[in-house]
Amino acid sequence: MPFSFKQFHIDDSRCGMPVSTDGVMLGAWANIKQSNTILDIGAGSGLLTLMAAQRAEQLAQTAAGLTSNAVKIVAVELDDLAAQDCLDNIANSPWAEMIEFHHGAIQDFSAQHLAQCQAKRSPLFDSIICNPPYFDNGPQSTQQQRATARHTDSLSFSELLKHIELLLAPHGAASLILPVESEARFTGALTQTSLAISKRVSISTVSNKPPRRLLLELKHQAKIESTEHSSLVISDPSGQYSQQMIALCREFYLKL
């Protein structure tokens, strides 16, 4: 279903995973400060890419000597139909010139980009954002696109983290969102890399419910002194967005 934000529009009609609260929270929270190069892994409809572009432009307007023209965002998407949505949404946005799109697997993009880095034609990424597949068992959707987008058959945590580790600059940060029940598997895969969690936000739908999602920021271990823990509640008991949620997402949602 098409979805309009304050500064851009998303048509996700061909995408396996539609616009979601998870994606909006991640896009608003992801650490892209002082980032000249940003990578969106599994871009889908382009939501995270366009949120990063909007934020990069806003950051440039408040930072002396920095312009959004200096920022390059790369979106990588494997699925053919989602790629069509992503390309259309980028082209119809105010930031098309800032964004480069790659249609293919992150494994192939990673190999190509690392070769360019070795030839000193491209830098590693200051920021990586990803709303990854997270189910590795249980029933899969009968809609193949949605099953691919949600299940790790197409991209395991180990495979994803390997490429984040390779593509993330030494000073960089990667931002992801996961269901709470996937945390153990994710952190198990994380121990096989040089990355560690620098920030962990537990998210509850309402204040009296246990956390259901986690926002995670990863950095190379050498850059981490300790993990910062916090929490976020989406709605108050009356069903209205909490002040935390409003503060996080007010630059995007039309009615905030």
Side-chain angles (χ1 to χ4, degrees):
M1 181 179 71
F3 201 102
S4 291
F5 293 89
K6 286 184 176 178
Q7 295 191 37
F8 62 91
H9 181 79
I10 292 286
D11 183 350
D12 57 9
S13 57
R14 293 168 290 190
C15 188
M17 284 300 291
V19 169
S20 66
T21 303
D22 284 5
V24 175
M25 287 191 296
L26 174 59
W29 179 82
N31 184 355
I32 65 165
K33 292 181 180 178
Q34 300 178 330
S35 295
N36 288 324
T37 52
I38 301 169
L39 173 64
D40 180 3
I41 299 177
S45 63
L47 172 65
L48 296 177
T49 293
L50 295 179
M51 292 183 74
Q54 177 181 323
R55 291 181 61 201
E57 182 177 70
Q58 291 169 337
L59 287 168
Q61 291 171 352
T62 58
L66 179 66
T67 67
S68 58
N69 293 333
V71 178
K72 177 183 178 182
I73 302 173
V74 178
V76 179
E77 175 54 47
L78 174 62
D79 182 78
D80 293 343
L81 294 176
Q84 293 176 37
D85 275 347
C86 193
L87 280 168
D88 288 346
N89 291 328
I90 291 169
N92 293 326
S93 79
W95 310 289
E97 293 183 359
M98 191 191 305
I99 300 166
E100 179 181 309
F101 180 79
H102 286 262
H103 182 193
I106 186 58
Q107 294 90 333
D108 296 334
F109 170 80
S110 181
Q112 295 167 10
H113 191 79
L114 291 171
Q116 292 176 345
C117 290
Q118 290 179 344
K120 298 183 178 180
R121 294 195 300 270
S122 297
L124 293 171
F125 290 95
D126 302 321
S127 178
I128 297 176
I129 49 179
C130 181
N131 187 353
Y134 44 77
F135 292 134
D136 67 348
N137 52 37
Q140 295 197 11
S141 169
T142 55
Q143 182 187 357
Q144 185 57 45
Q145 270 190 293
R146 185 169 174 83
T148 299
R150 288 163 61 88
H151 286 77
T152 59
D153 294 353
S154 57
L155 183 65
S156 68
F157 286 153
S158 295
E159 187 76 2
L160 171 63
L161 288 168
K162 178 179 75 174
H163 292 288
I164 290 177
E165 179 184 26
L166 290 170
L167 293 166
L168 187 65
H171 58 273
S175 304
L176 306 92
I177 189 165
L178 291 174
V180 168
E181 56 267 30
S182 297
E183 184 177 18
R185 288 189 294 108
F186 184 83
T187 54
L190 192 62
T191 61
Q192 305 304 311
T193 72
S194 66
L195 303 170
I197 298 171
S198 52
K199 292 182 181 179
R200 179 186 183 276
V201 182
S202 59
I203 302 169
S204 301
T205 53
V206 291
S207 56
N208 59 346
K209 295 288 183 68
R212 296 188 61 186
R213 294 287 187 267
L214 298 171
L215 285 166
L216 300 175
E217 179 187 274
L218 311 179
K219 291 185 176 181
H220 292 286
Q221 291 177 9
K223 299 296 181 180
I224 301 175
E225 295 182 1
S226 61
T227 301
E228 178 184 321
H229 293 267
S230 60
S231 61
L232 184 150
V233 175
I234 296 176
S235 302
D236 64 26
S238 68
Q240 300 298 310
Y241 279 137
S242 68
Q243 290 303 309
Q244 284 180 299
M245 187 67 172
I246 291 171
L248 180 65
C249 299
R250 63 160 48 101
E251 297 300 323
F252 300 99
Y253 280 139
L254 286 172
K255 295 183 179 180
L256 294 186

